[in-house]
Amino acid sequence: MDTREALGSWIDGPKAAAEKMGTDFGYRGERLGLPKEGPGSVAGTGRRIGALFVDGWLCSLVAYGLLARGHQGEANLWTTPLFYVVTVVLMATTGTTVGKRLFGLRVVRLNGGRASIPQVLLRTLLLCLVVPALVWDRDTRGLHDKAVGTVEVRI
């Protein structure tokens, strides 16, 4: 075997090289005991990012119109704290936010139950810090989900 084959090409990446050598990674969520497709399967990144943008946009709109009364600089200061509060309240009570609901998503514990309030508080704080949400494992769970033992699934 050539060294380039072992490391993978820069276009294909190391996962493709490992698959060529016979490694089976399975589907997203298989290690977690979740179905491959349909309700209860791990949510795709496109849906999750779309839901995050909807939630962020709604919080920006509320901060601009109601809290800052049209002052853009003041609205920027209110957006993140408002996002945190709205997300915590909605996730703790319903397990979903407005954006997640529009995209058919829900955050649950690994055993399938609703996330507890401490889990929601920490997960949302880590989400607001952005960096943990940008680092994923092969099941596409962000560090913010891994830290609290949750997963975002399709409804």
Side-chain angles (χ1 to χ4, degrees), residues 19-154:
E19 287 174 342
K20 285 180 186 175
M21 292 188 297
T23 305
D24 181 25
F25 288 106
Y27 61 87
R28 278 188 326 215
E30 183 176 22
R31 297 182 308 157
L32 305 172
L34 300 173
K36 185 174 184 176
E37 296 175 353
S41 63
V42 175
T45 55
R47 285 178 182 231
R48 293 191 337 230
I49 291 171
L52 184 64
F53 274 114
V54 168
D55 290 335
W57 181 77
L58 288 173
C59 288
S60 294
L61 188 65
V62 170
Y64 181 77
L66 296 178
L67 299 175
R69 291 184 171 75
H71 296 100
Q72 184 62 42
E74 197 174 326
N76 289 339
L77 295 174
W78 280 105
T79 300
T80 302
L82 181 64
F83 176 83
Y84 180 81
V85 170
V86 168
T87 302
V88 165
V89 168
L90 290 175
M91 294 276 289
T93 56
T94 65
T96 188
T97 62
V98 174
K100 289 182 189 341
R101 188 69 181 159
L102 286 174
F103 282 85
L105 306 175
R106 171 167 288 167
V107 175
V108 296
R109 290 182 181 182
L110 290 177
N111 66 5
R114 182 181 290 170
S116 67
I117 292 175
Q119 285 176 313
V120 169
L121 289 168
L122 181 58
R123 181 187 187 277
T124 306
L125 176 66
L126 293 172
L127 181 63
C128 289
L129 293 176
V130 177
V131 174
L134 294 177
V135 180
W136 300 334
D137 65 2
R138 78 174 195 221
D139 292 316
T140 65
R141 284 177 61 214
L143 288 181
H144 64 298
D145 277 324
K146 289 183 71 114
V148 297
T150 58
V151 63
E152 197 161 350
V153 296
R154 295 173 56 190

